[in-house]
Amino acid sequence: MSPNGSDRSSRRPMRRKLPQVLTAGLVLATATGCSYNWEDFPRLGMPTPVTEEAPRILSLWQGSWAAALVVGVLVWGLIIWAIIFHRRSRTKVEVPPQTRYNMPIEALYTITPLIIVSVLFYFTARDQSKLLELSDKPAHTVNVVGYQWSWGFNYVENVPGVTGDAKKDANLAAIPDKLKDQFPANAGGVYDAGIPGTRNPQTGNPGPTLWLPKGEKVRFVLTSRDVIHSFWSVPFLMKMDVIPGHTNAFEVTPNREGTYLGKCAELCGVDHSRMLFNVKVVSPERYQAHLKELAEKGQTGYIPSGIEQTDPARNAEKNVL
């Protein structure tokens, strides 16, 4: 057999193994969606989760990085393999055999990325749907109001000594009826509102402070008075847009006490960088005491929640719950 024929025969086993190698890499890449404990892996730049819902987001983040790492190693491995085993020989000058229209290989590198993207899309859609589910009766409801250039918080709660009805309050007219129907009955409520110069009295961090009870589900109803903002408490590992004329909502259950940073994550104007706030997670007893403190300061009732729902948003509200 000629030396050229010997080279070809030695390469055939490697070519036969190529689909097996790619298939193994695909299995590893798509297997990252399986459930596992996020604490067993690096957080890869994410902060420590402080809600019961945040580990789901962190797991998706870790799994996406694992899939990207497997695909990257596989691609780089094939590139290096091609460089080494198909380099030009110093003793031969003839043109090597040309391979064209190899349908199995072309189908493999077309279908494999589609499968990987489809798997990542599936787990993303699954987790997003779970994170955006709203319960029938959340323990607490906070109307987060975004405005240039700070934040206001309407605590829709039954506070002792405070009278009123959140379901009929004109300041909450921007909130759709399907969300109002789940407000507590005769909730007079209290509020807190900030300006860019507001600071947390304990930490000195800029922005108003949103208080939350540990271990109890909180629904955030997001409204805007002017332009699009984005409500982002960093250790929640998620954010949601605050849109004028459209109300968004999501729920979390804080599970770690402490004071955490929050910010607007949507470029909303000249002082966007000053739209900061704090999130203080405390015991349920301390949370109720804070509501009473706000009432004693005269911060009873609610601040205007924002621009009323537009017709397209109102017509879509059947999907809110």
Side-chain angles (χ1 to χ4, degrees):
M1 184 178 292
S2 66
N4 188 39
S6 176
D7 288 346
R8 291 182 187 177
S9 61
S10 64
R11 291 172 183 167
R12 283 172 188 161
M14 182 67 72
R15 289 175 180 171
R16 291 194 192 101
K17 293 179 180 178
L18 181 59
Q20 300 174 8
V21 172
L22 292 176
T23 302
L26 175 62
V27 171
L28 287 173
T30 56
T32 57
C34 299
S35 60
Y36 59 89
N37 190 344
W38 64 269
E39 294 179 330
D40 296 335
F41 296 87
R43 296 197 308 275
L44 301 170
M46 284 285 195
T48 302
V50 299
T51 70
E52 293 181 3
E53 294 77 13
R56 178 181 290 272
I57 302 171
L58 181 54
S59 295
L60 182 64
W61 171 259
Q62 292 169 323
S64 299
W65 270 102
L69 179 62
V70 170
V71 172
V73 169
L74 181 62
V75 171
W76 279 102
L78 291 174
I79 292 174
I80 294 172
W81 174 81
I83 292 173
I84 295 175
F85 290 95
H86 293 282
R87 66 190 186 278
R88 180 178 178 181
S89 173
R90 294 181 179 179
T91 59
K92 301 173 186 175
V93 294
E94 72 273 10
V95 176
Q98 303 299 300
T99 301
R100 292 182 296 177
Y101 308 114
N102 189 316
M103 293 304 295
I105 295 297
E106 291 182 12
L108 185 66
Y109 66 61
T110 300
I111 295 173
T112 299
L114 290 176
I115 294 176
I116 294 174
V117 171
S118 298
V119 171
L120 293 174
F121 175 81
Y122 165 77
F123 287 108
T124 300
R126 181 200 65 179
D127 291 344
Q128 177 177 293
S129 297
K130 187 67 176 177
L131 291 166
L132 296 182
E133 284 183 355
L134 298 180
S135 59
D136 292 335
K137 289 292 182 181
H140 306 279
T141 299
V142 179
N143 171 214
V144 177
V145 184
Y147 49 85
Q148 298 171 318
W149 309 99
S150 194
W151 300 89
F153 308 114
N154 286 322
Y155 296 91
V156 185
E157 300 268 3
N158 286 305
V159 181
V162 179
T163 59
D165 188 351
K167 297 180 180 181
K168 300 178 181 179
D169 195 299
N171 286 328
L172 303 182
I175 301 174
D177 291 338
K178 283 200 173 183
L179 290 173
K180 283 184 179 179
D181 289 343
Q182 296 186 332
F183 286 175
N186 301 316
V190 292
Y191 71 88
D192 195 5
I195 59 174
T198 304
R199 290 187 174 272
N200 181 282
Q202 286 79 38
T203 64
N205 293 329
T209 300
L210 169 64
W211 288 59
L212 300 175
K214 177 183 176 181
E216 298 182 357
K217 188 175 290 294
V218 180
R219 174 179 295 175
F220 297 113
V221 178
L222 311 178
T223 56
S224 171
R225 292 184 189 172
D226 35 55
V227 299
I228 298 178
H229 303 284
S230 186
F231 179 69
W232 181 26
S233 178
V234 179
F236 287 3
L237 306 191
M238 72 173 292
K239 58 180 180 283
M240 184 171 285
D241 282 350
V242 185
I243 304 173
H246 179 83
T247 302
N248 283 327
F250 71 98
E251 298 176 352
V252 301
T253 305
N255 58 8
R256 182 174 298 189
E257 293 189 16
T259 302
Y260 309 102
L261 300 179
K263 60 184 72 178
C264 176
E266 184 78 25
L267 182 58
C268 56
V270 64
D271 278 339
H272 159 71
S273 62
R274 302 182 69 189
M275 280 198 65
L276 307 173
F277 64 95
N278 304 277
V279 176
K280 187 177 182 66
V281 180
V282 296
S283 67
E285 295 77 17
R286 183 66 185 92
Y287 172 75
Q288 294 297 332
H290 176 68
L291 298 184
K292 294 178 182 178
E293 291 170 359
L294 293 176
E296 292 171 357
K297 293 178 182 178
Q299 296 174 218
T300 58
Y302 304 103
I303 60 174
S305 57
I307 299 173
E308 190 174 353
Q309 290 282 98
T310 59
D311 287 338
R314 188 181 297 109
N315 294 335
E317 288 305 330
K318 60 180 181 293
N319 298 321
V320 168
L321 300 175

